[in-house]
Every structure is written in C-alpha cells, then in structure tokens.
Amino acid sequence: MSCNLTEKVSLLLDGELAADEAERLEPHVTACPVCRTAREDFVRLRRQIKAYEYTPNTEARRRALAHILAPPPVPLWRRRLALPVPVFAVIGLMIAVAVWAILPRRTVQPSPAPLVLQPNDAATAHAAQSRFDLSRFDHGERAEIYTVPRAAAMR
Amino acid sequence: MASHNEEFTSVFDAVYANLCRFLECLLGERAAAQDIAQESFLRLHRFGLYRLPPDEARFWLFRVARNLALNEMRKQRTRSRLSAQAAVAFNDPSPDPEGALLRAESNQLVRDLLGHLPERQRTALLLREQEEMSYREIARVLGVSEGNVKTDIFRARRLLRERWHELHGAAAKLCER
C-alpha cells in the first residue's frame, strides 16, 4: 500500500509547507492509514535521532579551547631573543676573541738590503755607471737645428 | 583582542557539543569527531569571527566540519566499531554504568541506522533532526538547492523507516522463538 502524498507528510512534519497547504493536508493524514503510519514512523525516528546523547568530555573541551586560543607558533627566523646585557657582553667578547684568533695576522717581512757600491769593485762600478751613460745613443750623427719664426710656429 | 576571544568563546560554548554530536553521528567515531570539531573551530579563529555576518558562524562551522569529515571518510581511517563503543562508554562521566551502557547501545543503534544512508542524506537529516535547521539553512550548509534538501530528507526518512522495520521485525522473530 502506498500513497503519493507521503513526501508531503515529511514536509508537513518539518513545517516546510505553506499554511493553506498544511491545512488541506492535515485531514488527509488523519484519514489515510499510509500517511498516518508514515507520520508516526517519522516522528519515532526523529525522537530516536534526537535522543542521541553526547556528553562532551570537559577536559577535552577545555584543552581544545586552549589549543585554539593559543597564539600561533612563531617561525624560528622571526623569534626574538631577550637576554640580560652582561650575557650579551660576554657573547660579544667571545665573538671578538674568536674572530681575532681566526683571522690571518700580517707578519713584517725584512726589507731587502740597499745596493751599496763598493769603490774597489771596478766591474760593478762600471756596470752601474753604464746604466746612466747616454753615449750609447750617440751614433755620430749631427743634429740639425731648424729655425722657425715664432709667428709660423704659433699658427 | 580580549573581546574577540570572549566572543569566540561564547560561540564555542554554544556550538561545540552539537558539532561533536553531529560529527560523531556522521563518522561513527568519537575521537575523529572531536579532532574535526577542534580543527573547524581553529579555522574559524584564524579566519576571524568578526569577518562573518552575525549568526553565520554556526552554519560556517557545520559547512567546514562537514567538508573535513568528507576528507576523513575518503581517507578511510575509521577504526573498529568496538573501540568506538568502548570509547563512548569510557568517556561518559556518568556514575551510572548501566545507564551509560544503555545510552551507548541507543547511540549505536542510531549510528547503525544512519550508517546505511548516503552521506548527503545523512548530513541533511542530522542537520534537520538534531540541529533543527530549516531546509534553506541546510541548503546553505550543503551548498545545494532547497529542492535537493527536500528530496534528500524524504529519501533518508524512507530508507531509515524500512531499515527500522527490518530490525524490529528481526527482533520480534527472535522473541517469538
């Protein structure tokens, strides 16, 4: 046995029908055994589902709220350090010492001994003198002197 | 900031237990229900309650929780029914163990019945029967039309009714023997 108004019974139960339609349907539901039984069953199911008991665990609830309200974790690169000044001073000193120990130190190299000409050493003296002797550029040619008037040179 | 937290706490107090119950009925598991409820509230806190229109937070939470529950179902991380039953019995703070067992059995029956429904029908029916949401509000949570909600709820009731009669018919036959 079935009735094509059973779906309307579901809507009637949920208060989703317009007032006039609900008014028209009510006598039918009372008279039709299919719709009446359907309504009784739907009501029974509703009671059963509504009776589902959930007793929240108070501790779990408190922990959940605390976890949610806790500030979000700060990434490592955005964290700040708060240390007393003496600790900072000690750390700074240690860093300075470490840098001083690691950096290569500049050593003083001995400068080369100046060239001292010995007067009795003729060969060395000649070599040294020949360095300044310009006669090697003289090939016996004559120099020519050109005279150019000042006015022509200025042009 | 303090007033934001107070406002958030009042929403948490009003919705948390109902959300856990809804998720437990949907998933059939208490631990997962609590985890998802917590995650939903955490997302609301990060999103900012003030960004939602008044009275929208409840629907927002149920929508997010349902999506998270769907992910959970896809992962198929459901633990054994026995452990869920034990958890219900052990988590109950009532000093009456017999009553706790009866309640656990009744809850189990509801979960068994609902377990036979497709997910959307189950969600729609739970939101209607437990949360007393209108079809329009359910449609907002599920992201479907009111017509779909109407059909889902009717089909869910019809299926549950059949299942209910099957269970009671079997029980009556057992009693007759």
Side-chain angles (χ1 to χ4, degrees), chain B residues 14-27:
Chain B
V15 184
Y16 180 74
N18 284 9
L19 192 63
C20 283
R21 181 177 67 169
F22 163 73
L23 288 165
E24 195 176 297
C25 288
L26 198 63
L27 296 165

PDB file of all heavy atoms in Angstrom, chain B residues 14-27:
ATOM      1  N   ALA B  14      28.494  27.546  22.689  1.00  0.00           N
ATOM      2  CA  ALA B  14      27.147  27.302  22.142  1.00  0.00           C
ATOM      3  C   ALA B  14      27.131  26.167  21.117  1.00  0.00           C
ATOM      4  O   ALA B  14      26.136  25.454  21.000  1.00  0.00           O
ATOM      5  CB  ALA B  14      26.614  28.583  21.515  1.00  0.00           C
ATOM      6  N   VAL B  15      28.217  26.008  20.380  1.00  0.00           N
ATOM      7  CA  VAL B  15      28.173  25.102  19.215  1.00  0.00           C
ATOM      8  C   VAL B  15      28.993  23.821  19.391  1.00  0.00           C
ATOM      9  O   VAL B  15      28.665  22.806  18.767  1.00  0.00           O
ATOM     10  CB  VAL B  15      28.627  25.863  17.933  1.00  0.00           C
ATOM     11  CG1 VAL B  15      28.503  25.000  16.697  1.00  0.00           C
ATOM     12  CG2 VAL B  15      27.813  27.129  17.738  1.00  0.00           C
ATOM     13  N   TYR B  16      30.030  23.865  20.233  1.00  0.00           N
ATOM     14  CA  TYR B  16      30.996  22.750  20.277  1.00  0.00           C
ATOM     15  C   TYR B  16      30.340  21.379  20.483  1.00  0.00           C
ATOM     16  O   TYR B  16      30.580  20.451  19.715  1.00  0.00           O
ATOM     17  CB  TYR B  16      32.044  23.011  21.369  1.00  0.00           C
ATOM     18  CG  TYR B  16      33.073  21.909  21.488  1.00  0.00           C
ATOM     19  CD1 TYR B  16      34.081  21.762  20.538  1.00  0.00           C
ATOM     20  CD2 TYR B  16      33.042  21.003  22.545  1.00  0.00           C
ATOM     21  CE1 TYR B  16      35.020  20.751  20.640  1.00  0.00           C
ATOM     22  CE2 TYR B  16      33.974  19.987  22.647  1.00  0.00           C
ATOM     23  CZ  TYR B  16      34.962  19.868  21.698  1.00  0.00           C
ATOM     24  OH  TYR B  16      35.886  18.866  21.794  1.00  0.00           O
ATOM     25  N   ALA B  17      29.501  21.259  21.511  1.00  0.00           N
ATOM     26  CA  ALA B  17      28.898  19.953  21.830  1.00  0.00           C
ATOM     27  C   ALA B  17      28.024  19.466  20.669  1.00  0.00           C
ATOM     28  O   ALA B  17      28.068  18.286  20.297  1.00  0.00           O
ATOM     29  CB  ALA B  17      28.092  20.057  23.110  1.00  0.00           C
ATOM     30  N   ASN B  18      27.237  20.378  20.091  1.00  0.00           N
ATOM     31  CA  ASN B  18      26.359  19.992  18.977  1.00  0.00           C
ATOM     32  C   ASN B  18      27.165  19.565  17.751  1.00  0.00           C
ATOM     33  O   ASN B  18      26.789  18.626  17.048  1.00  0.00           O
ATOM     34  CB  ASN B  18      25.447  21.165  18.590  1.00  0.00           C
ATOM     35  CG  ASN B  18      24.325  21.346  19.589  1.00  0.00           C
ATOM     36  OD1 ASN B  18      24.317  20.711  20.639  1.00  0.00           O
ATOM     37  ND2 ASN B  18      23.389  22.205  19.266  1.00  0.00           N
ATOM     38  N   LEU B  19      28.254  20.282  17.534  1.00  0.00           N
ATOM     39  CA  LEU B  19      29.101  19.951  16.383  1.00  0.00           C
ATOM     40  C   LEU B  19      29.742  18.575  16.573  1.00  0.00           C
ATOM     41  O   LEU B  19      29.810  17.781  15.622  1.00  0.00           O
ATOM     42  CB  LEU B  19      30.179  21.027  16.197  1.00  0.00           C
ATOM     43  CG  LEU B  19      30.969  21.001  14.893  1.00  0.00           C
ATOM     44  CD1 LEU B  19      30.062  21.252  13.701  1.00  0.00           C
ATOM     45  CD2 LEU B  19      32.077  22.030  14.895  1.00  0.00           C
ATOM     46  N   CYS B  20      30.171  18.301  17.793  1.00  0.00           N
ATOM     47  CA  CYS B  20      30.759  16.987  18.089  1.00  0.00           C
ATOM     48  C   CYS B  20      29.722  15.889  17.888  1.00  0.00           C
ATOM     49  O   CYS B  20      30.028  14.831  17.323  1.00  0.00           O
ATOM     50  CB  CYS B  20      31.279  16.947  19.530  1.00  0.00           C
ATOM     51  SG  CYS B  20      32.832  17.804  19.749  1.00  0.00           S
ATOM     52  N   ARG B  21      28.515  16.124  18.358  1.00  0.00           N
ATOM     53  CA  ARG B  21      27.446  15.119  18.210  1.00  0.00           C
ATOM     54  C   ARG B  21      27.145  14.864  16.738  1.00  0.00           C
ATOM     55  O   ARG B  21      27.043  13.716  16.299  1.00  0.00           O
ATOM     56  CB  ARG B  21      26.189  15.622  18.932  1.00  0.00           C
ATOM     57  CG  ARG B  21      25.038  14.640  18.853  1.00  0.00           C
ATOM     58  CD  ARG B  21      23.846  15.114  19.623  1.00  0.00           C
ATOM     59  NE  ARG B  21      23.258  16.312  19.031  1.00  0.00           N
ATOM     60  CZ  ARG B  21      22.081  16.825  19.377  1.00  0.00           C
ATOM     61  NH1 ARG B  21      21.375  16.235  20.322  1.00  0.00           N
ATOM     62  NH2 ARG B  21      21.614  17.899  18.807  1.00  0.00           N
ATOM     63  N   PHE B  22      27.032  15.945  15.975  1.00  0.00           N
ATOM     64  CA  PHE B  22      26.772  15.837  14.537  1.00  0.00           C
ATOM     65  C   PHE B  22      27.869  15.022  13.854  1.00  0.00           C
ATOM     66  O   PHE B  22      27.597  14.098  13.075  1.00  0.00           O
ATOM     67  CB  PHE B  22      26.677  17.247  13.950  1.00  0.00           C
ATOM     68  CG  PHE B  22      26.805  17.332  12.457  1.00  0.00           C
ATOM     69  CD1 PHE B  22      25.772  16.902  11.632  1.00  0.00           C
ATOM     70  CD2 PHE B  22      27.948  17.841  11.867  1.00  0.00           C
ATOM     71  CE1 PHE B  22      25.883  16.973  10.254  1.00  0.00           C
ATOM     72  CE2 PHE B  22      28.072  17.916  10.486  1.00  0.00           C
ATOM     73  CZ  PHE B  22      27.037  17.481   9.683  1.00  0.00           C
ATOM     74  N   LEU B  23      29.118  15.336  14.196  1.00  0.00           N
ATOM     75  CA  LEU B  23      30.246  14.643  13.554  1.00  0.00           C
ATOM     76  C   LEU B  23      30.341  13.186  13.991  1.00  0.00           C
ATOM     77  O   LEU B  23      30.697  12.323  13.193  1.00  0.00           O
ATOM     78  CB  LEU B  23      31.554  15.379  13.871  1.00  0.00           C
ATOM     79  CG  LEU B  23      31.721  16.714  13.155  1.00  0.00           C
ATOM     80  CD1 LEU B  23      32.829  17.532  13.781  1.00  0.00           C
ATOM     81  CD2 LEU B  23      32.003  16.515  11.676  1.00  0.00           C
ATOM     82  N   GLU B  24      30.006  12.951  15.244  1.00  0.00           N
ATOM     83  CA  GLU B  24      30.048  11.568  15.733  1.00  0.00           C
ATOM     84  C   GLU B  24      28.996  10.717  15.010  1.00  0.00           C
ATOM     85  O   GLU B  24      29.252   9.574  14.648  1.00  0.00           O
ATOM     86  CB  GLU B  24      29.815  11.552  17.239  1.00  0.00           C
ATOM     87  CG  GLU B  24      30.205  10.229  17.874  1.00  0.00           C
ATOM     88  CD  GLU B  24      30.073  10.252  19.389  1.00  0.00           C
ATOM     89  OE1 GLU B  24      30.795  11.040  20.028  1.00  0.00           O
ATOM     90  OE2 GLU B  24      29.247   9.496  19.923  1.00  0.00           O
ATOM     91  N   CYS B  25      27.819  11.302  14.802  1.00  0.00           N
ATOM     92  CA  CYS B  25      26.759  10.579  14.070  1.00  0.00           C
ATOM     93  C   CYS B  25      27.171  10.390  12.608  1.00  0.00           C
ATOM     94  O   CYS B  25      26.846   9.382  11.990  1.00  0.00           O
ATOM     95  CB  CYS B  25      25.441  11.344  14.132  1.00  0.00           C
ATOM     96  SG  CYS B  25      24.678  11.285  15.744  1.00  0.00           S
ATOM     97  N   LEU B  26      27.848  11.363  12.078  1.00  0.00           N
ATOM     98  CA  LEU B  26      28.234  11.313  10.664  1.00  0.00           C
ATOM     99  C   LEU B  26      29.351  10.306  10.429  1.00  0.00           C
ATOM    100  O   LEU B  26      29.323   9.538   9.463  1.00  0.00           O
ATOM    101  CB  LEU B  26      28.696  12.711  10.234  1.00  0.00           C
ATOM    102  CG  LEU B  26      28.761  13.024   8.749  1.00  0.00           C
ATOM    103  CD1 LEU B  26      27.378  12.936   8.138  1.00  0.00           C
ATOM    104  CD2 LEU B  26      29.313  14.430   8.537  1.00  0.00           C
ATOM    105  N   LEU B  27      30.337  10.307  11.343  1.00  0.00           N
ATOM    106  CA  LEU B  27      31.520   9.457  11.158  1.00  0.00           C
ATOM    107  C   LEU B  27      31.432   8.139  11.923  1.00  0.00           C
ATOM    108  O   LEU B  27      32.134   7.192  11.583  1.00  0.00           O
ATOM    109  CB  LEU B  27      32.784  10.198  11.630  1.00  0.00           C
ATOM    110  CG  LEU B  27      33.168  11.454  10.863  1.00  0.00           C
ATOM    111  CD1 LEU B  27      34.174  12.255  11.664  1.00  0.00           C
ATOM    112  CD2 LEU B  27      33.753  11.093   9.523  1.00  0.00           C
TER     113      LEU B  27
END
